[in-house]
Amino acid sequence: MHYVIIGNGVAGINAANQLRKRDETSSITIISKESDHFFSRTALMYVLCGQMSPSDVEPYPRDHYQRMNFTRVRDEVVALSPSETSLKLSSGETIQYDRLLIASGSMARSAGWPGEELDGVGNFVTWQNLEWLTEKSRTAKKAVVVGGGLIGIEVAETLLAAGIEVTFLIREKWFWPIAMDQNEGLMIIDHMRHHGCNVRLQTEVKKIISQEEKVTGVEIGDGEIVDCDIVVATIGVVPQTGWLVESGIELDKSGGIVVGDHLETNLPNIWAAGDCTSVVWFNGIRRPEQLWYTSRDQGRIVGLNMSGDKRVYKRSTFYNSAKLFDIEYTTAGYVNFNFEGEQNWYHREPDTNRTTRITYLPDGSVTGFNMLGRRWDHRILVDWVDEKRQLDWVLQNLHIANFDEEFFPSFKIDTQALKSGVV
Amino acid sequence: MQAGLLQTYNNSAQRRGAGAWIIASLLFAFYILIYFTEAFTPVAHAIGLSGKWNLYGILYTIAILSGGLYFFKRHGNSRYHRYRTISVMLVQTVFAFSIPWFMELMQTRGFIFSLFWPLKIDYFYPSYIMEYPLPVILYAILGSLIIVPIATFLFGKRWYCSWVCGCGGLAETAGEPFRHLSNKKPGAWKFEQISIHTVMLLALITSAIVLINWGLGKEVNGVMVPMYPAFSTVVFKIQGIYSFFVVALLSGVFGVALYPILGSRVWCRFFCPLAAYMGLIQKLGRFRVTVKDDMCISCGNCSTYCEMGIDVRMYAQNNIDVKRASCVGCGMCAHVCPRGVLKLENKWDPNPMAEESKIKVFDL
């Protein structure tokens, strides 16, 4: 049996590991155009800012591929021919497979600005992006970061730390509206400004200004020009599936590979996992889940299924975490789905950047938690959402789920004020 | 990100560049001179000190205090780190420096209350310890045999290694710029298991035969005389060998001079007999680094900044709590984790040696 895995990211490598656990003899080939070694994509910023070395972000020892007997191919797959069960590589070679996993991940969304193709404009998604930005940040004096999400704030933070003047352009009214409400998003923006980041809200790029192929600025909505040497576009990612359009694999309108419960595609002996995959969410809507955790879980399950299991991939209750500059962020449950009649319980600890937001339904059952400035045990919060705990009970017991470092100022809510609901 | 750690890898002295080798050579030369020559004695006399070890004590304390301030700049945003750094700075200034100094001014031999056997092996050498008053003798013995194991069982070895100890204190402060240089490879873990337990065994044997030799002595005209002179000669030789190789070379010369090459905890990780002793108790005790399931993004900040070379990420991405004998509980893994996955805790574990709570050199 020859297993072929396209993609050396978290989904691909987890699938390969599971396959090898199940099957010690079959040959397993991993094809990647990006890197020889699996690395943590979420750690790219730490390499950029010199906090970690490139090899520090590799989760497995360097000899992992030898020990597991994985064959690596560094090339780009340009076409899939299901009828011939083969893949065509950009070098012109073809590779035959018995069972194929597509874990080609996602790529930066194209912004479509005039001048986007200039060398001073780029993204921060791939290892090659990291190399590009590392090089550019040595000489750049001013940078524009576009896109009010997680990668954007990470890039802004890192470039600021490198002594570069950063202007952060956000299209929406506050930072990261798919995760934050107005209170939270504006608090983060205050924090960014406090760190010297020039944030511009409700601002979009019209075009890139350049002189002799060198970026000199961006023109924003009202014709104003913001000077800069580099532009980093962090306006989201899309499934990397353009090479599959002719293959007969079913793609959804976002380009995600449509898979069934077992992460199988519409074609025989082909599975898909990770960012390139479109799955059905808890609310019945099909779309890609572009998260580290879901890619990892999908990789593990698809590996088992490719070796003969029939495991169902079911997305468990949502959780995520991040660090926004130095503000910890944990979310659990469904805070941004606007259920009917949903209400917010919101509390900001005085004179801090520590906030608690709990969403709940008219019957009092909690649906989600959005927490900033503290660490929380998402396992407990997820359980409470699953158990449909009442808001009153949750508020009384919230300290149980606290996960702060020892000696961190303890979590207390004034119970008197709590009853009135206006803490 | 942790503001203090930015640009770590962009500084040549912090990634084993030329600067690192220059610092290491200077430290090496300094330690050779201070341990094996009298080169610093005139310097000490010139500034009014009684000997080279007083000079060393002052320099050591300055290194911890200034390194502590540097540490504050890097990690002062965390209370855990503030408290333990203040603790090591205070312990060094008060217990390791001022009190012995004061005792010497009072014409008694200085005693360091913050050291314990077998790190300070002399405390179980009768010829050394019997010169102190009875309360001090009791403190040295009970401290090493009762306080150390109980405190370690309750809080992990961190109560000592990263809150009290002078060696650890130097590593946590002046050694801070080099913490990421510890070797994370499985081979280093294997070497550590052999080397540290070997030194512990040597410390045990040396202490035991010194005690036996003392027990075999007889008093003639108020002077202790060995009953078996040939045995005593061997004992003194072993004592001398231990003191040369372990105390001078490993803890002094290599322990500190290798900071810029192998990280700040070379002595503590590979050789310290007290660390080995507490490590065994820690495995059975309450302390662990709790891992929040399925939240790890495998970024590797924890492993990178573990000064003991523990591949914390391997535990975190496999949802296994970290219970390692070598962990000194510095808390840096939890502190630098961008997803708040790790937490240092003391809690009862009904079955500390359970199979699922162990990880072998690596798992998938």
Side-chain angles (χ1 to χ4, degrees), chain A residues 238-369:
Chain A
V238 292
Q240 193 157 211
T241 52
W243 57 284
L244 286 169
V245 170
E246 312 271 297
S247 67
I249 287 236
E250 187 186 353
L251 304 176
D252 74 359
K253 63 177 186 294
S254 71
I257 300 167
V258 173
V259 291
D261 288 347
H262 308 109
L263 301 173
E264 77 284 10
T265 67
N266 61 317
L267 298 177
N269 294 320
I270 303 179
W271 286 259
D275 277 15
C276 62
T277 307
S278 189
V279 294
V280 177
W281 285 41
F282 75 98
N283 52 4
I285 294 170
R286 178 180 283 285
R287 63 190 227 207
E289 296 179 296
Q290 287 142 332
L291 277 177
W292 177 267
Y293 311 117
T294 49
S295 290
R296 175 200 61 203
D297 294 348
Q298 289 179 17
R300 287 178 182 167
I301 284 183
V302 86
L304 295 172
N305 287 349
M306 287 172 76
S307 66
D309 281 17
K310 280 278 181 197
R311 300 201 186 204
V312 173
Y313 173 74
K314 193 165 177 297
R315 179 74 160 97
S316 56
T317 299
F318 189 86
Y319 64 86
N320 199 4
S321 68
K323 201 167 181 181
L324 311 167
F325 278 62
D326 45 4
I327 299 178
E328 314 262 359
Y329 170 60
T330 305
T331 186
Y334 306 98
V335 282
N336 298 299
F337 290 86
N338 300 316
F339 297 118
E340 204 178 327
E342 176 189 284
Q343 291 182 52
N344 281 311
W345 188 92
Y346 176 79
H347 171 52
R348 180 168 176 175
E349 294 173 51
D351 308 318
T352 69
N353 285 325
R354 301 196 279 265
T355 66
T356 303
R357 180 158 67 96
I358 305 172
T359 56
Y360 61 100
L361 296 177
D363 68 0
S365 60
V366 300
T367 52
F369 297 85

Side-chain angles (χ1 to χ4, degrees), chain A residues 51 56 321 375-376 406, chain B residues 9 158 292 297 305 334 339:
Chain A
Q51 183 166 321
D56 284 340
S321 68
R375 291 178 172 184
W376 296 91
E406 290 163 301
Chain B
Y9 279 93
R158 57 180 172 154
K292 230 158 54 173
I297 52 168
Y305 286 95
R339 303 287 165 127

Side-chain angles (χ1 to χ4, degrees), chain A residues 106-351:
Chain A
S106 48
M107 56 190 224
R109 184 192 302 276
S110 163
W113 307 314
E116 189 185 19
E117 70 293 341
L118 290 164
D119 178 49
V121 184
N123 311 110
F124 196 61
V125 176
T126 64
W127 193 263
Q128 287 69 31
N129 292 158
L130 169 68
E131 290 171 341
W132 167 79
L133 194 50
T134 305
E135 183 58 36
K136 289 288 166 195
S137 63
R138 290 205 182 101
T139 52
K141 300 273 181 293
K142 292 179 177 181
V144 165
V145 180
V146 188
L150 195 50
I151 301 179
I153 196 172
E154 289 181 351
V155 171
E157 183 187 8
T158 313
L159 295 181
L160 274 174
I164 296 169
E165 197 182 310
V166 177
T167 304
F168 192 11
L169 304 182
I170 296 175
R171 188 177 58 185
E172 292 82 11
K173 288 181 182 165
W174 60 82
F175 172 72
W176 208 13
I178 58 161
M180 306 277 149
D181 76 357
Q182 187 169 358
N183 290 321
E184 296 158 339
L186 291 177
M187 183 182 94
I188 298 297
I189 282 168
D190 279 348
H191 191 67
M192 283 194 267
R193 287 181 172 148
H194 177 75
H195 279 267
C197 184
N198 179 22
V199 186
R200 304 279 298 260
L201 296 174
Q202 292 179 276
T203 306
E204 284 191 76
V205 174
K206 257 188 178 166
K207 65 177 179 199
I208 311 287
I209 313 289
S210 63
Q211 270 179 358
E212 294 164 0
E213 300 292 297
K214 284 198 140 161
V215 171
T216 57
V218 297
E219 185 182 326
I220 55 176
D222 55 3
E224 186 189 338
I225 290 172
V226 180
D227 291 341
C228 64
D229 321 306
I230 47 172
V231 179
V232 187
T234 62
I235 52 170
V237 291
V238 292
Q240 193 157 211
T241 52
W243 57 284
L244 286 169
V245 170
E246 312 271 297
S247 67
I249 287 236
E250 187 186 353
L251 304 176
D252 74 359
K253 63 177 186 294
S254 71
I257 300 167
V258 173
V259 291
D261 288 347
H262 308 109
L263 301 173
E264 77 284 10
T265 67
N266 61 317
L267 298 177
N269 294 320
I270 303 179
W271 286 259
D275 277 15
C276 62
T277 307
S278 189
V279 294
V280 177
W281 285 41
F282 75 98
N283 52 4
I285 294 170
R286 178 180 283 285
R287 63 190 227 207
E289 296 179 296
Q290 287 142 332
L291 277 177
W292 177 267
Y293 311 117
T294 49
S295 290
R296 175 200 61 203
D297 294 348
Q298 289 179 17
R300 287 178 182 167
I301 284 183
V302 86
L304 295 172
N305 287 349
M306 287 172 76
S307 66
D309 281 17
K310 280 278 181 197
R311 300 201 186 204
V312 173
Y313 173 74
K314 193 165 177 297
R315 179 74 160 97
S316 56
T317 299
F318 189 86
Y319 64 86
N320 199 4
S321 68
K323 201 167 181 181
L324 311 167
F325 278 62
D326 45 4
I327 299 178
E328 314 262 359
Y329 170 60
T330 305
T331 186
Y334 306 98
V335 282
N336 298 299
F337 290 86
N338 300 316
F339 297 118
E340 204 178 327
E342 176 189 284
Q343 291 182 52
N344 281 311
W345 188 92
Y346 176 79
H347 171 52
R348 180 168 176 175
E349 294 173 51
D351 308 318

